[in-house]
Amino acid sequence: MEDNSKRTGTTGNVPIQGGQPDDNVIQINLTDVFRTIGANFGKILLVALAFAIITLAVTMFAIKPTYRSYFTAFVNNRTSSSEDTTTLQSGDVSAAQSLTYTYASIMKSRPVIEDALKKAGLDSKYEYKDISDDITTDIEQNTQLVTVYVITGSAEESYHLSKAIAEIAPDYIASIVEGSSMKVVTAPVMATQQYSPSVTKNVAVGFIIGMLLMMIIVVVRSLMDTRVKDAQELETRFGLSIIGTIPNYEQAVKGNTGRERYYYRAQNRKGDRR
C-alpha cells in the first residue's frame, strides 16, 4: 500500500508536501508585481512628488551654494629665454609632463595660497587651513596643462582668489624649479551660476528615490498579504479546480457589473414574484 504521508509534488513553482503548499516558500510572480505597481501607481507618483518637493526645499534653503572659478596653465621645463619651443625634443616634453604634478602641488601650497589671499584681500576672512581643501588641481593626461579650481561661497571671492593664484604662481614656481616656466592659457572668469548644489539633479534624485521606495513598500505589502482575493488566484496559487462560488449579494445590490449582476437580477425577480 502506498504511503501517502511521503508523497510530494509541485504546484506551479511552489514545492508541496502531501499535496499542501510549503508555507516557508514565497512565490513571486512578476506579472502580479507589475499589476500591483500599476494598481498603486497614483500613490507611488504622489510619494515621488512629495520627495521631490522636500528635496527642492532642502536644496534651496538648507544647503549653502558654492561658486567655482578656475584657470588653466601651461608648464614647461625651459624658461622663456631658452631655446625656441619649436626645437624642443620629445625628452623635453616628457620631462615637463612628469613635472606637472610638482607644479600642481606648488600652486596649492601654503606660501602660494597665503600670498594669494593677501593679494585678493581675503586674508582677514580665510586662513590656509580653512580653504586649502577647496582649492584643487587637475592635470590633463599626456599634456603639460594644469587646471586650478577655486570653490568658495561667493562668485567674487572665487574669481579674485583664482586670479591671484594665477598671478603669483609663475614667479614662485620659477624661483623653486630652475629653468622652468608657466603661462596661463585660460584666465579665470567670474561664475554666473552656482557650482553646487545642482537643483535639477537633486530634485530628480529625490523623485526617483521616492518612487522606488514606494514601489518596494507596495510590493512587499502585497507579498505579505496571504489572503485569497478571488477564484482565479485560488486556482493559480494552489492548483485547485473551482467547483462553485458563493455570490456576494452586497456587491450585487450596489450595482456592480460582471457576474455579480446576475445575482442582483435574480434577487429582483424573486421580489417581483412575491
Side-chain angles (χ1 to χ4, degrees):
M1 181 176 178
E2 183 181 2
D3 186 0
N4 293 331
S5 63
K6 297 182 179 180
R7 178 171 57 86
T8 62
T10 59
T11 302
N13 294 326
V14 183
I16 59 174
Q17 298 288 337
Q20 297 298 323
D22 186 355
D23 294 334
N24 296 323
V25 178
I26 298 177
Q27 183 182 15
I28 299 177
N29 190 322
L30 291 180
T31 303
D32 293 339
V33 170
F34 289 122
R35 185 183 296 114
T36 301
I37 293 175
N40 295 274
F41 187 75
K43 296 179 181 179
I44 294 172
L45 187 59
L46 287 176
V47 172
L49 290 174
F51 268 69
I53 293 173
I54 293 172
T55 305
L56 176 63
V58 172
T59 302
M60 295 292 293
F61 303 107
I63 301 178
K64 184 179 179 180
T66 61
Y67 299 85
R68 186 179 74 171
S69 182
Y70 65 92
F71 68 91
T72 301
F74 175 84
V75 295
N76 188 24
N77 63 337
R78 290 173 178 263
T79 59
S80 57
S81 61
S82 300
E83 186 179 353
D84 190 86
T85 55
T86 58
T87 63
L88 290 177
Q89 303 297 320
S90 60
D92 298 322
V93 176
S94 298
Q97 289 176 354
S98 64
L99 285 172
T100 52
Y101 293 94
T102 302
Y103 297 145
S105 298
I106 292 174
M107 282 189 280
K108 59 175 297 186
S109 63
R110 178 186 290 271
V112 173
I113 301 305
E114 288 181 345
D115 289 347
L117 286 172
K118 292 179 182 179
K119 188 176 182 65
L122 299 172
D123 54 320
S124 60
K125 184 174 183 179
Y126 297 104
E127 293 185 4
Y128 173 76
K129 63 180 181 180
D130 300 326
I131 202 169
S132 58
D133 292 337
D134 297 321
I135 300 174
T136 59
T137 57
D138 180 58
I139 300 173
E140 191 171 337
Q141 190 175 9
N142 298 325
T143 69
Q144 297 167 241
L145 299 176
V146 179
T147 302
V148 179
Y149 298 97
V150 178
I151 301 174
T152 69
S154 167
E156 293 81 3
E157 292 177 356
S158 296
Y159 167 71
H160 290 302
L161 183 55
S162 178
K163 182 180 178 182
I165 295 173
E167 293 174 353
I168 293 173
D171 293 336
Y172 192 82
I173 290 175
S175 67
I176 295 177
V177 184
E178 295 183 1
S180 64
S181 64
M182 168 185 154
K183 293 184 177 181
V184 176
V185 178
T186 303
V189 294
M190 189 176 298
T192 57
Q193 59 183 7
Q194 66 185 44
Y195 173 69
S196 68
S198 174
V199 176
T200 303
K201 180 180 178 181
N202 287 2
V203 170
V205 171
F207 182 86
I208 293 173
I209 291 176
M211 178 172 287
L212 292 177
L213 181 62
M214 193 58 186
M215 283 183 180
I216 293 173
I217 292 174
V218 298
V219 170
V220 170
R221 288 183 61 183
S222 177
L223 292 176
M224 297 298 293
D225 187 359
T226 58
R227 295 175 299 175
V228 178
K229 303 175 183 62
D230 52 40
Q232 182 179 0
E233 184 178 352
L234 184 64
E235 293 177 344
T236 302
R237 288 178 57 180
F238 298 95
L240 302 175
S241 298
I242 305 302
I243 298 175
T245 60
I246 300 175
N248 189 332
Y249 286 104
E250 292 181 0
Q251 292 182 359
V253 170
K254 292 179 181 179
N256 290 340
T257 58
R259 288 185 296 179
E260 292 83 355
R261 192 72 173 178
Y262 167 78
Y263 302 107
Y264 176 64
R265 292 175 178 173
Q267 190 180 45
N268 285 344
R269 290 173 182 173
K270 292 180 180 180
D272 293 341
R273 293 173 184 173
R274 293 178 185 177

